[in-house]
Amino acid sequence: MCECTDMSMDLKTPRNVYLSAFYKRSFAYHTVKNRMPVILTQIIDTLSRTKLDVVKEFDQNSAEDLKKVISELSKFKYEIQTNKPLTKLQSDAPDIKIYNDYIDKQATEEGETTYFNTIWLLVECYMYRRIKEVFSLTDSLGSFDYFRSLKQEQFNKCRAATVILSKHLKGVTDRGFSDEKFTQEMVLTYLKANLWGNKCDLSVTLGKVNDVLNVLNVTEMDRFILVDDSQKFYDNLSSTEFSTAVYIDVVLDNAGYELITDLILMSSLSAAYPGFKVRFHVKVMPWFISDVTETDFHWTLQEMSQMNDEITRAFAKKCKEFVSSGQWSIIAHPFWTYPYEYKFMKELAPDLYSILSDSACVIFKGDLNYRKLFGEKNWDPTTPPLEALQGFQPSRLLTLRTIKADIVVGLQPGVAERCEKEDSKWMENGDYGVIHFIPKS
Ligand SMILES: O=P(O)(O)OC[C@@]1(O)O[C@H](CO)[C@@H](O)[C@@H]1O
Ligand SMILES: [Mn+2]
């Protein structure tokens, strides 16, 4: 048995405390013990398999650098598996101090900040930040996106779904948005297609596109949406107060199928409500395997603009025009890859907080955003979302998230118990979803 299992307690996470691998009967424990080492092994294997391609793309020194990277990543995997303290990051990047201070702060409270006793969010974010650092500290591989091939494969698997969605959107925009009932039906359909797109992140599914080809039959999935505020969002969207604001912000999650559904949703909103400008928030570094970087965003549009299907090409062209005209913009703020919950944004990234405060609504995509929004705690599932936000309220907020971690809020009494009976893995497998709309208070 590995040392780490001895450190953890055979317990479920108690209510209202931070999720942590300290509790053996938690998804956090399973992630740190099993999933994180597998992710590191996968990177090492891919690098070993594709070394010649990497050397071709970068310079000759990269062969040596690759060896160093592989050895550093193996060492790192061993540190996790043997529950060593998190080592300080070393580069001079601006976010390093944020990480190192956090490690120190937890050490003061916990004795040592180790993988199996500290906060799960810190451990998991640290892993992705440390991987990035290993590459950054080489001479030749600093800009290498080691998840690029996985993200691109994922896109390739959903080309057929992209064509279906593009054709559907064309039908909708050709008809126009003068009929209120039709507009509402389409916005809600795309919103839900977008919600289910979140099932396809690479860190949990490792790339299975599942049943998403059934992309637009969203109503048959409605019973799996445990909180559905989509109608409230729509009602606000068409209210005057809402529509006098200029921006809608989307904090993107995964590349591949989910990003396609983001583009469809935001294109439909941009066509129906041309007064809005859309700001897409992306990650500054490869993150949780499939998260969108600015390069992924442009790569996706470029691929779509070269597909066989003419309607998909026209859709890509339209998206590119939105970007070049400034109706859409892309923001890559380093805060999104900090290990902190969003209640700390005002203090740690006041510039970003002020951008979001200027928005009609901020749409948070996916599971990790949900964890950060609601403070990564094992809340009682009936806790009101406003309470779990702990003061983070720059604007109206909308969350579109399939449940893939053991945190959920805002459920009616009895719902969590029903789900538990239906499926003991209901908080891990992404089969259930939540759509919370939180108006300004
Ligand atoms: O944010 P996403 O892409 O929806 O999901 C990220 C995720 O796969 O990573 C974590 C586990 O490693 C969980 O929070 C979640 O399941
Ligand atoms: Mn993700």
Side-chain angles (χ1 to χ4, degrees):
M1 195 188 288
C2 123
E3 282 173 50
C4 53
T5 51
D6 297 330
M7 294 297 301
S8 301
M9 299 293 282
D10 190 17
L11 293 173
K12 284 188 170 176
T13 321
R15 282 284 173 237
N16 300 344
V17 304
Y18 277 119
L19 305 184
S20 165
F22 182 72
Y23 305 107
K24 250 191 198 175
R25 287 197 269 152
S26 69
F27 186 58
Y29 177 81
H30 168 62
T31 298
V32 180
K33 173 136 184 4
N34 304 313
R35 296 179 54 246
M36 287 174 40
V38 167
I39 289 167
L40 286 166
T41 306
Q42 264 191 346
I43 303 176
I44 294 169
D45 287 352
T46 313
L47 291 175
S48 312
R49 225 182 29 232
T50 57
K51 30 179 199 269
L52 292 179
D53 297 336
V54 178
V55 174
K56 220 187 273 166
E57 184 177 339
F58 296 87
D59 59 51
Q60 273 310 313
N61 296 338
S62 57
E64 264 319 294
D65 284 340
L66 268 180
K67 272 195 215 150
K68 261 191 253 162
V69 165
I70 291 175
S71 138
E72 283 298 318
L73 293 179
S74 310
K75 194 174 126 226
F76 179 32
K77 187 171 107 177
Y78 176 78
E79 288 171 23
I80 297 174
Q81 289 178 314
T82 51
N83 196 28
K84 297 279 182 294
L86 278 65
T87 57
K88 301 277 187 65
L89 299 169
Q90 305 157 31
S91 74
D92 50 11
D95 61 337
I96 293 304
K97 187 171 161 35
I98 299 271
Y99 273 88
N100 288 346
D101 287 354
Y102 198 176
I103 293 170
D104 278 344
K105 178 177 154 293
Q106 289 314 112
T108 326
E109 287 171 23
E110 297 159 359
E112 274 182 324
T113 313
T114 69
Y115 295 93
F116 285 84
N117 76 0
T118 199
I119 300 168
W120 180 33
L121 184 63
L122 169 61
V123 169
E124 223 180 356
C125 293
Y126 173 86
M127 177 179 84
Y128 289 98
R129 186 62 189 86
R130 169 111 171 240
I131 298 169
K132 172 67 185 169
E133 173 162 284
V134 166
F135 283 87
S136 305
L137 290 176
T138 65
D139 292 330
S140 61
L141 298 171
S143 63
F144 182 45
D145 182 346
Y146 28 91
F147 296 136
R148 183 182 63 192
S149 55
L150 285 170
K151 289 185 271 194
Q152 297 188 349
E153 269 168 41
Q154 163 78 348
F155 174 83
N156 287 335
K157 287 185 197 155
C158 69
R159 284 175 187 268
T162 305
V163 172
I164 296 174
L165 284 165
S166 306
K167 287 189 171 155
H168 191 276
L169 181 67
K170 177 170 174 12
V172 169
T173 43
D174 282 355
R175 177 165 162 180
F177 296 95
S178 51
D179 175 355
E180 168 74 27
K181 199 161 158 270
F182 176 72
T183 305
Q184 168 170 321
E185 195 190 321
M186 287 309 110
V187 169
L188 295 189
T189 300
Y190 290 148
L191 204 68
K192 287 175 184 173
N194 193 218
L195 163 71
W196 294 118
N198 180 243
K199 236 178 135 163
C200 298
D201 78 276
L202 285 170
S203 99
V204 159
T205 63
L206 296 173
K208 286 181 232 125
V209 185
N210 309 337
D211 38 12
V212 292
L213 278 178
N214 210 0
V215 279
L216 290 157
N217 288 340
V218 286
T219 44
E220 58 191 58
M221 306 282 280
D222 277 358
R223 75 171 218 89
F224 295 101
I225 305 182
L226 304 181
V227 176
D228 183 0
D229 289 342
S230 53
Q231 185 66 47
K232 277 192 208 157
F233 167 73
Y234 181 78
D235 292 343
N236 267 268
L237 188 63
S238 13
S239 77
T240 354
E241 194 219 335
F242 197 104
S243 56
T244 48
V246 177
Y247 295 105
I248 293 191
D249 288 76
V250 193
V251 185
L252 290 178
D253 187 358
N254 303 304
Y257 180 71
E258 183 171 356
L259 179 59
I260 303 298
T261 61
D262 293 322
L263 296 172
I264 292 282
L265 174 65
M266 299 325 291
S267 296
S268 72
L269 292 181
S270 294
Y273 306 92
F276 281 120
K277 290 185 170 186
V278 179
R279 296 183 291 208
F280 292 94
H281 296 263
V282 297
K283 304 296 190 296
V284 289
M285 67 182 78
W287 195 245
F288 280 67
I289 307 185
S290 41
D291 283 22
V292 180
T293 62
E294 188 159 359
T295 307
D296 298 327
F297 189 96
H298 293 299
W299 180 86
T300 304
L301 293 184
Q302 189 54 23
E303 282 300 301
M304 284 165 59
S305 67
Q306 289 166 358
M307 278 172 58
N308 281 335
D309 177 64
E310 190 188 334
I311 294 174
T312 308
R313 288 201 302 273
F315 171 43
K317 185 162 175 260
K318 185 75 203 160
C319 292
K320 284 183 174 185
E321 280 165 13
F322 280 140
V323 175
S324 56
S325 70
Q327 190 169 351
W328 285 6
S329 56
I330 300 160
I331 299 181
H333 195 287
F335 178 80
W336 302 120
T337 50
Y338 287 1
Y340 277 105
E341 307 104 273
Y342 295 155
K343 68 172 174 179
F344 295 108
M345 184 191 288
K346 206 174 192 171
E347 182 192 330
L348 297 174
D351 54 333
L352 181 61
Y353 192 88
S354 117
I355 289 175
L356 300 187
S357 305
D358 214 15
S359 185
C361 183
V362 188
I363 305 178
F364 286 93
K365 302 293 319 294
D367 200 274
L368 182 63
N369 273 324
Y370 194 92
R371 288 166 57 187
K372 288 183 160 185
L373 263 178
F374 297 120
E376 178 81 342
K377 287 194 175 154
N378 182 30
W379 298 104
D380 181 314
T382 60
T383 308
L386 198 55
E387 183 186 329
L389 282 171
Q390 302 167 83
F392 178 73
Q393 254 207 308
S395 178
R396 298 173 193 82
L397 308 177
L398 177 74
T399 69
L400 298 172
R401 173 249 186 168
T402 60
I403 304 176
K404 291 177 282 185
D406 29 18
I407 157 171
V408 70
V409 295
L411 301 192
Q412 289 299 314
V415 172
E417 292 75 6
R418 162 173 70 80
C419 296
E420 189 67 42
K421 268 193 210 139
E422 274 176 19
D423 177 357
S424 62
K425 296 262 184 257
W426 71 284
M427 296 191 92
E428 295 167 23
N429 55 21
D431 285 348
Y432 293 83
V434 277
I435 303 178
H436 300 290
F437 178 72
I438 303 143
K440 259 191 190 156
S441 59

